[in-house]
Amino acid sequence: NGMPLNAAELTRLITAGAKGVRTADPTAQIISAAPATTGINDGINAIDDRQFFRQMLEAGIADTVDGVGVHPYGWANPPDSSVSDGVSAVPSHNNHPSFFWQNTLDDYATILAEYGAESRPLWVTEFGWGSFEQFDSVPPAGAEFMSHVNEWQQAEYTLRAYELAHSRPKMGPMILWNLNFAPTLGADFSESGYSVLRPDGSRRPAYRALEAMAKQ
């Protein structure tokens, strides 16, 4: 906030941080910050994440980090869907590849290959599907798409994303967003929709599905 959007400046910041980390721990795994998937490319509020990622690579990020951070949010679209399908069950956030889990991972892998950096794994440092079911309120402004995801779909999409990731090359860990924003922040915050706990602290289907899934 308050700084110009500049991928080269971010890369310089990450490079400086990486130098300090490696001085203290040469074996540390360093992962780059992930551009936000917004579907916006006005240069003021946001730069298209694919364009920003290319600019990071042009600035040398692949030479600095061990893995590349990516935020493949699905908004209200299932993880198997793609913008190229031309069919969506939701009325918004369905016309740009940044709104699709699968498209984001495909595009980042392709861009890495374009820059000869395909050896760098993709670390999913944030992903998830938001739902306001059982919240006794509607999603905040800007998060209306969460009305089109119920709790069972949240669980189904999350497990399917983990399943699909196993078939993709050069995938690092996948970090689900988030555990407990709903009981911590309440329904006034869109981030709470991604929580796998309800505002009253009870466990959503996504929590129980993750608890029961095979681990490795």
Side-chain angles (χ1 to χ4, degrees), residues 51-96:
Q51 179 179 326
F52 196 87
F53 184 44
R54 283 190 168 93
Q55 293 171 356
M56 291 173 68
L57 287 164
E58 289 167 4
I61 194 65
D63 298 326
T64 298
V65 298
D66 302 295
V68 172
V70 57
H71 288 179
Y73 278 96
W75 302 72
N77 302 293
D80 288 282
S81 62
S82 168
V83 69
S84 60
D85 295 341
V87 178
S88 176
V90 295
S92 70
H93 300 88
N94 58 16
N95 60 351
H96 192 280

Side-chain angles (χ1 to χ4, degrees), residues 142-209:
E144 292 86 355
F145 61 90
M146 293 185 189
S147 297
H148 302 281
V149 179
N150 62 43
E151 284 193 330
W152 285 102
Q153 288 172 317
Q154 181 190 44
E156 178 186 356
Y157 296 169
T158 300
L159 292 191
R160 180 58 177 157
Y162 277 113
E163 181 182 15
L164 289 169
H166 283 288
S167 64
R168 304 183 68 92
K170 303 302 292 184
M171 284 292 295
M174 291 175 58
I175 302 170
L176 184 67
W177 173 260
N178 60 69
L179 172 65
N180 62 348
F181 271 45
T184 302
L185 298 180
D188 291 337
F189 292 82
S190 60
E191 294 90 343
S192 295
Y194 295 100
S195 176
V196 296
L197 297 178
R198 299 187 182 104
D200 64 3
S202 62
R203 299 173 182 181
R204 303 181 98 174
Y207 185 106
R208 298 189 181 279

